[in-house]
Amino acid sequence: MSDESAPAPFEVKRWQTYVPCLHYNWQPNKPFVVTAVVGARAEVWDPTGGQRMGGHRWVALRNLHATNKTGQGKERRTGWYLHCEPPADPVRQELCGSCFTWKDREQFGVLAHGFGHSTCVPCKAEIEKRYGR
């Protein structure tokens, strides 16, 4: 007999986006995209760069979580949590480089060449509101 209320097991997949649970000086605090899962590690890519534009690094799978809450409902202090699942249609969807969300190409205010460098309409409006046109 199966328990229908049990949550589905969490699986790290290629093209998922993650954001940090909390920000610390010693922890890279930028969102990233999973590009590969190998054993107990995930290769991740940061489209916003850092020292190098589009930097790759490895993260242990134990540091990636389905939510920013623990099983007891407390906020996690370390690691990253799932922000967005992989694109449903990789041909029609693009990654917004501002909010790290996969959206249909028609939902972008700026479409740039290069994965993760486009800006969706809501993010573009926020940027224009904050910094002007």
Side-chain angles (χ1 to χ4, degrees):
M1 189 155 126
S2 68
D3 181 9
E4 293 181 20
S5 64
F10 177 63
E11 180 183 359
V12 176
K13 297 181 259 183
R14 187 174 192 216
W15 304 129
Q16 287 175 327
T17 62
Y18 287 83
V19 294
C21 294
L22 287 178
H23 302 288
Y24 293 105
N25 290 335
W26 52 267
Q27 178 184 24
N29 62 359
K30 294 193 223 172
F32 54 72
V33 179
V34 172
T35 57
V37 178
V38 179
R41 299 184 312 157
E43 180 185 43
V44 301
W45 172 63
D46 172 13
T48 63
Q51 290 182 352
R52 296 171 292 158
M53 190 60 162
H56 288 266
R57 67 180 190 272
W58 291 92
V59 173
L61 291 181
R62 71 177 181 277
N63 294 325
L64 303 180
H65 311 287
T67 70
N68 65 341
K69 304 280 186 192
T70 66
Q72 293 77 33
K74 295 181 180 181
E75 286 198 32
R76 292 185 188 280
R77 292 192 220 159
T78 60
W80 294 265
Y81 69 95
L82 181 63
H83 171 69
C84 188
E85 286 287 350
D89 183 355
V91 174
R92 294 200 54 216
Q93 292 190 315
E94 177 73 28
L95 179 68
C96 176
S98 297
C99 66
F100 276 72
T101 304
W102 292 98
K103 297 185 177 215
D104 289 336
R105 295 178 67 83
E106 297 82 33
Q107 296 175 306
F108 282 86
V110 177
L111 270 173
H113 294 288
F115 181 63
H117 299 294
S118 299
T119 305
C120 69
V121 171
C123 289
K124 182 179 180 219
E126 179 63 29
I127 290 167
E128 288 175 350
K129 178 180 163 189
R130 187 174 293 179
Y131 300 106
R133 289 182 175 240

